[in-house]
Amino acid sequence: MKSAVLLFPGSNRDRDMIKALEHISGNPVATVWHTETTLPEADLYVLPGGFSYGDYLRSGAIAARSPIMGALKSAAAQGKHVLGVCNGFQMLTEAGLLPGALMRNASLHFVCKNVELQTTSTNSPFTQNMASGAVWQCPVAHHDGNYFADSETLNRLEGEGCVAFRYANGTNPNGSINDIAGITSENGRILGMMPHPENLIEDLHGGLEGRALFESVMQTLDAA
Amino acid sequence: MKARVTVTLKNGVLDPQGKAIEGSLSALGFAGIAGVRQGKVFDLELAAQSADEAKQEITKMCEQLLANTVIENYSIDILK
């Protein structure tokens, strides 16, 4: 699996993501600055967490309109795989690559803690090797993770198995509708999620549960 | 040409910041508050020659960046 991480001013989870991708794939990971207009050849493009543009206007809003995003939209339209974590998820919704929006946490607090996540759909390349219905601990760290979509969009997401992850056992940290923590596109090739699977890769992280996600998508991409 | 864009949350979209402000106003002794919704205001200065031209241009700005139409409405006032 060849992967590339897109970098924006204010990204701060990019190195965690690069480390995770290197660790899982065994390949070097390309990086792309937001002012570029073309992407390096890769199987998986990743939008990392952080606070791009200081969360000005709306979280992810400015980054979603930066020059590199045109190339990312083209790549997605051609069926490339895209992962957005935390601020990356916010960018994906702002760019229109995933539906809905991520609003201020209902508590108004920044939350930085472990939550319980349930893998609710194993339809996508990202979740195919994960145990359906399994609940695992995963860190979150965000101020704007309160997922919202209108009822029509929500029904479609739920009906088509596009809700990949849900906060479980009353651990919803942000008021997200239907406890949604992560969603995929219709074709399953774009995943956006607020929790940080890239922080559950090595023993020192205190858990290895994030590996299954990266290994899942790698299996698909390496078989292609 | 000067214009003001007001962006507000759509009806039915939860506004926790508005709720917190409402609570704080009540705590200050302001009674009878039926609701508070927080929004954003953008003051723009444009080179546009006419109000129509400005409005067209600003509508595009709102659709593409200033508002997230999934959750927000916008209104445009041309101030001259």
Side-chain angles (χ1 to χ4, degrees):
Chain A
M1 173 173 75
K2 279 167 68 180
S3 49
V5 174
L6 281 59
L7 303 177
F8 302 83
S11 295
N12 66 5
R13 295 294 190 115
D14 45 307
R15 291 183 67 173
D16 295 28
M17 185 60 77
I18 291 165
K19 275 286 188 197
L21 290 164
E22 282 176 353
H23 199 93
I24 298 290
S25 72
N27 290 329
V29 175
T31 56
V32 196
W33 188 234
H34 67 118
T35 53
E36 298 291 326
T37 51
T38 56
L39 289 164
E41 185 56 35
D43 308 306
L44 173 68
Y45 295 104
V46 184
L47 298 167
F51 300 87
S52 58
Y53 293 92
D55 283 347
Y56 295 166
L57 188 61
R58 299 175 304 272
S59 296
I62 310 281
R65 278 90 180 164
S66 59
I68 195 61
M69 291 302 280
L72 187 70
K73 285 182 186 175
S74 302
Q78 288 161 18
K80 288 286 187 182
H81 290 67
V82 180
L83 169 66
V85 170
C86 200
N87 193 213
F89 185 16
Q90 294 160 344
M91 289 177 211
L92 287 173
T93 57
E94 279 285 345
L97 285 168
L98 286 175
L102 289 146
M103 302 181 54
R104 181 52 42 101
N105 294 345
S107 67
L108 299 178
H109 292 292
F110 186 94
V111 289
C112 181
K113 61 180 180 183
N114 279 330
V115 296
E116 293 185 33
L117 272 194
Q118 184 171 39
T119 306
T120 43
S121 171
T122 52
N123 284 346
S124 80
F126 294 95
T127 54
Q128 59 184 351
N129 290 354
M130 302 181 84
S132 180
V135 174
W136 46 294
Q137 289 237 333
C138 191
V140 294
H142 60 251
H143 210 167
D144 298 294
N146 184 353
Y147 184 77
F148 176 86
D150 60 42
S151 54
E152 190 184 325
T153 305
L154 212 53
N155 288 339
R156 187 180 65 70
L157 288 172
E158 296 283 1
E160 291 175 357
C162 292
V163 178
F165 302 110
R166 241 185 265 279
Y167 303 110
N169 302 326
T171 62
N172 182 341
N174 50 41
S176 180
I177 199 162
N178 290 14
D179 294 325
I180 288 171
I183 58 169
T184 62
S185 57
E186 270 175 74
N187 69 5
R189 294 182 176 193
I190 306 175
L191 169 67
M193 61 190 295
M194 288 312 296
H196 289 276
E198 77 276 21
N199 291 152
L200 289 171
I201 302 294
E202 302 173 44
D203 284 325
L204 274 174
H205 290 154
L208 303 174
E209 292 87 342
R211 298 181 68 112
L213 189 153
F214 294 97
E215 286 164 356
S216 278
V217 71
M218 185 167 73
Q219 183 184 319
T220 298
L221 294 172
D222 285 350
Chain B
M1 185 86 53
K2 289 187 177 181
R4 173 165 286 186
V5 173
T6 308
V7 175
T8 51
L9 284 174
K10 287 182 177 176
N11 286 334
V13 175
L14 185 74
D15 178 13
Q17 292 173 106
K19 279 274 170 228
I21 294 162
E22 185 181 334
S24 189
L25 286 171
S26 297
L28 286 170
F30 292 99
I33 303 167
V36 178
R37 308 278 284 169
Q38 181 176 307
K40 295 183 186 124
V41 167
F42 303 89
D43 284 329
L44 306 174
E45 274 193 64
L46 303 172
Q49 297 300 310
S50 72
D52 276 354
E53 190 191 330
K55 202 155 188 171
Q56 275 183 22
E57 192 72 1
I58 296 169
T59 301
K60 284 188 215 158
M61 293 178 197
C62 289
E63 291 289 333
Q64 289 179 37
L65 179 64
L66 297 181
N68 179 342
T69 55
V70 174
I71 49 172
E72 293 169 329
N73 291 320
Y74 60 86
S75 64
I76 301 165
D77 293 303
I78 304 295
L79 309 169
K80 276 202 257 210

